[in-house]
Amino acid sequence: MKPNKSQSGQLHFIEEPTSIPFSIKRLFWLDQITEGAKRGIHAHREEQQALVCLSGRVSAILENLKGEQFSFELDSPSKALFIPPMVWTEFTFGPDAVLLGISDRQFCEQDYIRDRTEFEAFQNKIRPDSEAIYD
């Protein structure tokens, strides 16, 4: 997402479908989160999201089903982070951060995996080094 700059400021925009790889069903945002607080700490079974830090800074640590970890700094509204389903997320908020979430689904509690042990069970099913039996 490239901002449109002028002397009076910047305009940031998302145009569906070219900027976001899914149809948008829900927008949500987090603000007034205590500096250093962690949010996320879950995965989604089916939901896809794109996240944009509108102000401040949010550090993201993601882990996929293969156990690979990735870290990202969201520190500009011109950056967006795509999160596919079945990725464990953990976000650490900087001072005065505002994080916008863009989702392909309406809220559904059953889509959440909030228990780390449950997520690790999914990981063990697909990891080649696991002792799980493959179908």
Side-chain angles (χ1 to χ4, degrees):
M1 296 185 311
K2 195 170 188 176
N4 184 351
K5 297 180 183 182
S6 73
Q7 289 182 344
S8 63
Q10 296 185 70
L11 168 67
H12 300 267
F13 57 91
I14 296 171
E15 291 184 328
E16 193 240 341
T18 58
S19 298
I20 303 290
F22 52 78
S23 296
I24 298 169
K25 302 284 189 208
R26 176 171 58 110
L27 300 173
F28 60 92
W29 51 95
L30 297 99
D31 69 343
Q32 299 184 21
I33 307 295
T34 303
E35 181 178 359
K38 296 191 184 306
R39 297 293 303 257
I41 313 174
H42 65 265
H44 288 279
R45 297 173 196 282
E46 297 180 13
E47 184 174 332
Q48 302 176 82
Q49 296 179 345
L51 302 176
V52 178
C53 187
L54 300 177
S55 69
R57 177 185 45 79
V58 175
S59 300
I61 298 175
L62 309 179
E63 185 175 341
N64 65 20
L65 286 175
K66 295 179 183 177
E68 300 168 319
Q69 289 192 352
F70 305 91
S71 60
F72 300 92
E73 288 293 317
L74 295 172
D75 56 5
S76 166
S78 63
K79 295 179 181 178
L81 178 60
F82 173 67
I83 302 176
M86 298 305 288
V87 171
W88 189 262
T89 62
E90 183 176 303
F91 305 103
T92 305
F93 281 69
D96 301 319
V98 178
L99 185 66
L100 171 67
I102 304 163
S103 174
D104 71 335
R105 296 174 184 274
Q106 294 182 351
F107 177 81
C108 176
E109 183 61 37
Q110 290 76 22
D111 188 60
Y112 283 75
I113 301 171
R114 297 185 186 275
D115 183 342
R116 178 67 191 192
T117 306
E118 182 181 356
F119 183 74
E120 290 169 354
F122 283 108
Q123 286 180 316
N124 289 334
K125 288 180 184 177
I126 69 124
R127 283 189 184 160
D129 60 332
S130 74
E131 296 178 13
I133 298 173
Y134 296 94
D135 293 326

